[in-house]
Amino acid sequence: MNKKIFWIITGLSGIGILFFVGQQNIGLAQLSVPKDIYMFGTIEKGEVMSGYFGKHQPDSKNKTWCVFIGSNGKVYKLALIDKNIHELYIDGQKIADSQIWKHTAEYKSFLEKFWRNEEIENESRELERQIKPFERKIEAISKEIEKLDRAEEKLDRDSENKPANFDESRANATARQQKLAKMQKESDEQIENFSKQQETLSSEQESLNLLTELDKVLLRIREDLKSLGVIRNSNNLSFKLSNVELIVNGKKISPEVFELLKARYIVELSGESGFVFHWKGDI
């Protein structure tokens, strides 16, 4: 997939579905998409979308859902509560609670990446929180420097008719400017330090390759559509698979195929959520 543009997932009220991206430094304002929709994936020219999408949903009892393809080619859906596996589905089949532990080796490596990604998200948000006071401080300093500059300009205009305290006022203004410049430099250095930490976190987050995990899911859905006889090939393929419907190349697919793929890939939550591939139009 084209990975130039990422959407930021925000405001999920305790729901996580595989694809937490966090600080990708791309603003939602760049994208003319309804505000009640979040997405992880890419948007190409003409707003052709590929990835995971969802509409704002209420709290789901603090469950975090993961959907991914295991190294064995099977589809895994896991519900997590505080890093404990609450539910496990493999290829759409629910695993008995007493048997979940037997599959640890199959989902462990993915969950380690998933959990580290969430930690990075939290660390990045904390850095943002720490940066804000310094940004406000720099803004206040800039305003004070502008005020001093205007006062100095006035002194220069009045230099021919110096008031009694001209030299003292000039010295005080210069001293104040120097002090403010030092404070501004210190704040800039603090922000630069935080920014370097954020860059390190972003690099680590990118190395987790969660976008690659998303690509695997989309590829498997395409393969399933072909094996089920829905499509002959994936040329010019477009689909939307959600908890509401399956549309392939503009046509709504039979309930039987939809229910099969929904069981494999889709977490049933309120609202609508799921996967889109080369999708252009409303979601």
Side-chain angles (χ1 to χ4, degrees), residues 175-192:
R176 180 60 178 164
Q177 284 179 321
Q178 291 174 345
K179 184 177 180 180
L180 289 171
K182 182 180 179 181
M183 291 169 61
Q184 188 174 43
K185 182 181 178 182
E186 290 172 349
S187 295
D188 284 336
E189 289 173 349
Q190 286 285 358
I191 289 177
E192 184 178 359

Side-chain angles (χ1 to χ4, degrees), residues 244-259:
V244 175
E245 61 188 351
L246 170 59
I247 298 177
V248 180
N249 294 336
K251 296 181 180 179
K252 197 165 184 175
I253 303 306
S254 68
E256 294 79 13
V257 173
F258 167 55
E259 291 297 334

Side-chain angles (χ1 to χ4, degrees), residues 106-282:
E106 300 163 35
Y107 54 70
K108 182 180 178 182
S109 61
F110 177 84
L111 282 186
E112 286 176 347
K113 291 198 301 183
F114 180 80
W115 287 330
R116 178 53 190 152
N117 189 72
E118 287 196 319
E119 290 172 355
I120 291 173
E121 293 261 330
N122 292 332
E123 291 172 23
S124 186
R125 280 192 289 268
E126 175 59 21
L127 285 172
E128 280 293 322
R129 187 191 67 78
Q130 294 182 55
I131 284 175
K132 289 188 182 300
F134 290 100
E135 290 177 335
R136 290 194 292 269
K137 187 175 182 179
I138 287 176
E139 184 179 358
I141 289 172
S142 296
K143 290 180 179 179
E144 183 66 18
I145 288 176
E146 289 176 4
K147 184 178 178 181
L148 285 171
D149 286 341
R150 289 194 297 270
E152 191 171 23
E153 289 173 2
K154 186 176 184 303
L155 284 172
D156 289 338
R157 289 195 299 270
D158 297 339
S159 59
E160 293 183 3
N161 302 307
K162 293 181 181 180
N165 63 343
F166 177 84
D167 292 335
E168 181 182 356
S169 297
R170 168 76 75 175
N172 288 340
T174 300
R176 180 60 178 164
Q177 284 179 321
Q178 291 174 345
K179 184 177 180 180
L180 289 171
K182 182 180 179 181
M183 291 169 61
Q184 188 174 43
K185 182 181 178 182
E186 290 172 349
S187 295
D188 284 336
E189 289 173 349
Q190 286 285 358
I191 289 177
E192 184 178 359
N193 179 48
F194 287 134
S195 296
K196 287 179 179 178
Q197 293 179 57
Q198 284 184 317
E199 288 175 7
T200 299
L201 288 175
S202 294
S203 296
E204 183 184 354
Q205 190 173 50
E206 186 174 347
S207 71
L208 295 175
N209 291 323
L210 289 184
L211 275 170
T212 300
E213 300 293 343
L214 172 59
D215 287 342
K216 292 177 183 177
V217 174
L218 294 174
L219 177 60
R220 266 300 299 276
I221 295 174
R222 302 202 302 270
E223 291 174 348
D224 284 351
L225 291 173
K226 189 181 297 184
S227 65
L228 291 168
V230 177
I231 58 173
R232 292 183 178 180
N233 58 63
S234 57
N235 295 337
N236 301 316
L237 173 64
S238 170
F239 69 76
K240 176 173 76 168
L241 171 62
S242 72
N243 55 333
V244 175
E245 61 188 351
L246 170 59
I247 298 177
V248 180
N249 294 336
K251 296 181 180 179
K252 197 165 184 175
I253 303 306
S254 68
E256 294 79 13
V257 173
F258 167 55
E259 291 297 334
L260 175 60
L261 295 187
K262 184 174 78 168
R264 287 183 184 174
Y265 298 98
I266 302 301
V267 175
E268 291 195 61
L269 299 168
S270 59
E272 185 180 8
S273 59
F275 299 93
V276 289
F277 178 75
H278 287 182
W279 183 264
K280 186 174 183 179
D282 295 334

